[in-house]
Amino acid sequence: MDNLLWGIVVLLAGIFIASYGNVLIRFALAFLGFAIGYSLVMWLGGGLDDVLRIVVGIVVGGILAGLFYMLVKFTLYLAGGIMGFVLMVVLLALFRLSGLDLGVIGLVLVAAATALGGFFGPRLGNNLVVFATSLAGAYLIVLGLSALFLDAEAEDQLTLLSTAFPLVLFLSITAVSFLAQYQAASLRRRFLR
């Protein structure tokens, strides 16, 4: 039950972020915060009762959604961190090094990629938001679909991108989302001049 609900939440958040990430950045950040908070509770709260875990996941997701919504002034830092996080998680998944028992080295790599992405975020320009929301949305969509249709454990879902079809799906959704959001951003800049 909780795996199905988690899959729906992550899939809807991913679709919203991949579709409207650059246009409605505050709401995209809120969806991302909710997905992160809810996912963390689902993965780390294994000892809790299912109903309690869902309630705690919604509360923690709501708190992170509100926090991310208010951090819109730090959008480029957040987008850089999101880009670094997703790229490192995908890279680790390609080599089957991810999962909940990632180890200290994997956690250090993910934290370092997130911190470096956040540090260099403002230096990468405004198209970073488009690229980061495309990556995050595509990753969440693939995770949500795997939770809904594969009925796999959380660790299997994290290493999912090491197989061909999910990797191609991730890359395809990222490309389509990036092109659509980039076109929308270009049109908006053209009409605002």
Side-chain angles (χ1 to χ4, degrees), residues 138 141-142 145-146 161 163-175:
I141 288 171
V142 171
L145 288 174
S146 71
L161 292 178
T163 57
F165 180 73
L167 180 63
V168 171
L169 182 65
F170 168 75
L171 293 174
S172 301
I173 293 171
T174 300

Side-chain angles (χ1 to χ4, degrees), residues 4-67:
L4 175 72
L5 187 59
W6 178 76
I8 291 171
V9 166
V10 170
L11 179 65
L12 291 176
I15 290 171
F16 185 85
I17 293 167
S19 301
Y20 302 111
N22 189 38
V23 178
L24 301 172
I25 187 64
R26 279 193 152 189
F27 294 106
L29 289 174
F31 269 85
L32 187 64
F34 186 82
I36 290 171
Y38 192 83
S39 297
L40 284 175
V41 171
M42 289 297 118
W43 288 334
L44 301 176
L48 297 174
D49 181 46
D50 287 345
V51 175
L52 182 61
R53 189 163 56 166
I54 290 171
V55 170
V56 171
I58 290 172
V59 169
V60 171
I63 291 169
L64 280 180
L67 181 68

Side-chain angles (χ1 to χ4, degrees), residues 43-112:
W43 288 334
L44 301 176
L48 297 174
D49 181 46
D50 287 345
V51 175
L52 182 61
R53 189 163 56 166
I54 290 171
V55 170
V56 171
I58 290 172
V59 169
V60 171
I63 291 169
L64 280 180
L67 181 68
F68 275 43
Y69 182 85
M70 289 186 283
L71 291 176
V72 74
K73 291 183 180 179
F74 302 102
T75 298
L76 291 177
Y77 293 104
L78 288 172
I82 291 165
M83 180 193 67
F85 175 80
V86 173
L87 288 177
M88 183 54 71
V89 168
V90 169
L91 186 65
L92 289 173
L94 283 174
F95 295 109
R96 291 189 173 270
L97 298 173
S98 63
L100 293 180
D101 56 347
L102 192 59
V104 175
I105 295 173
L107 290 175
V108 167
L109 287 174
V110 170

Side-chain angles (χ1 to χ4, degrees), residues 125-139:
N126 288 332
N127 286 331
L128 172 69
V129 175
V130 174
F131 184 62
T133 55
S134 299
L135 281 173
Y139 187 68

